Amino acid sequence: MQTPEKQWENDTRLVTEFVLVGFSNLPDLRTTLFTLFFLTYLVTLSGNVTIITIIHVDRTLHTPMYCFLAALSLSETCYTLVIIPNMLAHLLMESQAISIAGCRAQMFFFLGLGCSHCFLLTLMGYDRYVAICYPLRYLVIMRPTVCFCLGALVFCSGFSVAVIETTMIFSSAFCGRDRVEHFFCDIAPVLKLSCSESAGKALVIFFLSILVVLVSFLLILLSYAFIVAAILKIPSAAGRRKAFSTCAAHLTVVIVHFGCASIIYLRPRSGGNPDEDRLVAVFYTVVTPLLNPVVYTLRNREVRVALRRTLARSCRFLNKH
């Protein structure tokens, strides 16, 4: 038993670095987890780079829809770079420490890219709405300058939210406990370690999360309500199927992304089990980024055709040399 003086000293000791608990409770599985996560990460990285490259080199994909898809793949690539390499390193090393500055940077980029991802999916929903409801005016409404401005607005808005939330969380010192019950610096486990009362901050962050996640999702639903109404007016079944097929991949990614975000962030305070939170976090940091290239490659005919065309050109070039 610690004396009251010793307990008080531990509770008031300023923390200079955090210890990420990660998967330390599964020592026998660390090598297996490293192999599994590393292979998944390689496939995700390769898939997203492939999509960006195909869209860049194939002129038939130089349309607003595919420009936004390239931006989504780039966002996913950066998003995984923020979390997974550090997680893989901690699975191999004895030390699980991360400096407060490193934790702040990781949280900022994670939140910025995550919020931008929500806004980008909303923008892609709006793009599908314009393409299906106003096909003759599509290229006028979604002209390059408008697409560029909308894309810039998406990322500026996402990182503005990240600045607010990160500043709030790291505005006070951390004392006593230094163990972050996670494999990266997420909001709830870091906020628990704050010296000051964190209930007010948690409430503000909760409402910001509602603003980002719920409003984005509702705007996507609104876009699809107009899309469905427009598609039902198409007389031919083949025309309706073609219109729906352009939205299928986007809808799949939306459901998975917003489903995971709602489970984790639409709670006033983290009342869940840390192990359950880590399991969901593995899904949206490791599995979900893999979904984007898989879904958009397998479910999108134009991307598949462009991929085959690019591979054929590459083979001809190699045969000539």
Side-chain angles (χ1 to χ4, degrees):
M1 290 290 290
Q2 292 182 331
T3 63
E5 292 80 6
K6 186 66 175 176
Q7 181 67 41
W8 180 85
E9 181 183 333
N10 288 340
D11 290 342
T12 56
R13 175 179 61 88
L14 288 180
V15 173
T16 56
E17 65 177 17
F18 295 128
V19 175
L20 296 172
V21 172
F23 303 98
S24 57
N25 60 331
L26 302 169
D28 297 334
L29 292 177
R30 286 170 72 171
T31 304
T32 304
L33 289 173
F34 174 85
T35 306
L36 182 62
F37 293 158
F38 180 68
L39 292 175
T40 306
Y41 179 55
L42 283 183
V43 174
T44 301
L45 203 58
S46 303
N48 282 315
V49 170
T50 300
I51 286 177
I52 294 168
T53 304
I54 290 169
I55 292 171
H56 177 70
V57 301
D58 196 301
R59 288 185 175 276
T60 62
L61 299 182
H62 289 184
T63 62
M65 173 182 169
Y66 292 107
C67 288
F68 294 143
L69 176 57
L72 186 71
S73 294
L74 180 61
S75 172
E76 289 277 23
T77 302
C78 297
Y79 179 83
T80 53
L81 279 170
V82 170
I83 305 295
I84 298 181
N86 190 59
M87 178 183 70
L88 292 174
H90 283 173
L91 280 169
L92 291 181
M93 298 186 305
E94 290 298 322
S95 173
Q96 311 291 318
I98 183 172
S99 67
I100 288 182
C103 186
R104 185 192 295 116
Q106 187 184 55
M107 185 181 292
F108 169 73
F109 284 108
F110 167 73
L111 291 175
L113 291 164
C115 293
S116 299
H117 201 91
C118 290
F119 298 144
L120 190 54
L121 288 172
T122 306
L123 179 56
M124 292 174 77
Y126 173 72
D127 171 75
R128 291 298 81 213
Y129 157 72
V130 176
I132 292 172
C133 297
Y134 302 98
L136 299 179
R137 298 172 55 197
Y138 175 65
L139 292 178
V140 176
I141 296 172
M142 301 301 289
R143 56 191 179 275
T145 51
V146 172
C147 290
F148 178 80
C149 291
L150 288 173
L153 180 63
V154 158
F155 286 98
C156 288
S157 301
F159 280 94
S160 295
V161 174
V163 166
I164 295 169
E165 294 190 346
T166 308
T167 302
M168 287 181 63
I169 291 168
F170 288 89
S171 59
S172 58
F174 299 91
C175 54
R177 297 169 298 165
D178 60 358
R179 289 170 59 85
V180 177
E181 294 286 340
H182 219 309
F183 57 85
F184 70 98
C185 291
D186 204 358
I187 295 172
V190 173
L191 198 56
K192 285 179 180 178
L193 308 180
S194 176
C195 291
S196 59
E197 175 56 44
S198 60
K201 292 180 183 178
L203 195 59
V204 173
I205 290 169
F206 170 64
F207 282 116
L208 275 174
S209 300
I210 289 179
L211 190 66
V212 172
V213 176
L214 204 54
V215 172
S216 298
F217 186 64
L218 289 175
L219 287 173
I220 293 171
L221 286 182
L222 183 63
S223 295
Y224 274 102
F226 286 113
I227 287 170
V228 169
I231 289 175
L232 291 177
K233 293 177 183 177
I234 298 174
S236 69
R240 288 194 294 271
R241 277 198 302 272
K242 185 178 179 182
F244 271 122
S245 68
T246 64
C247 304
H250 177 251
L251 265 177
T252 304
V253 174
V254 163
I255 291 168
V256 174
H257 176 79
F258 283 95
C260 290
S262 300
I263 291 170
I264 292 294
Y265 296 108
L266 295 190
R267 298 181 298 186
R269 302 192 73 170
S270 182
N273 186 306
D275 292 333
E276 293 174 359
D277 286 352
R278 278 196 289 273
L279 182 61
V280 176
V282 165
F283 192 80
Y284 70 72
T285 56
V286 180
V287 180
T288 303
L290 176 63
L291 190 68
N292 176 37
V294 170
V295 167
Y296 275 102
T297 304
L298 296 180
R299 296 295 300 272
N300 192 296
R301 183 178 175 276
E302 289 179 305
V303 173
R304 292 199 307 271
V305 170
L307 178 59
R308 284 196 294 267
R309 197 160 45 228
T310 303
L311 290 174
R313 279 200 299 263
S314 300
C315 290
R316 285 197 299 269
F317 177 79
L318 291 172
N319 289 334
K320 288 178 182 179
H321 296 78

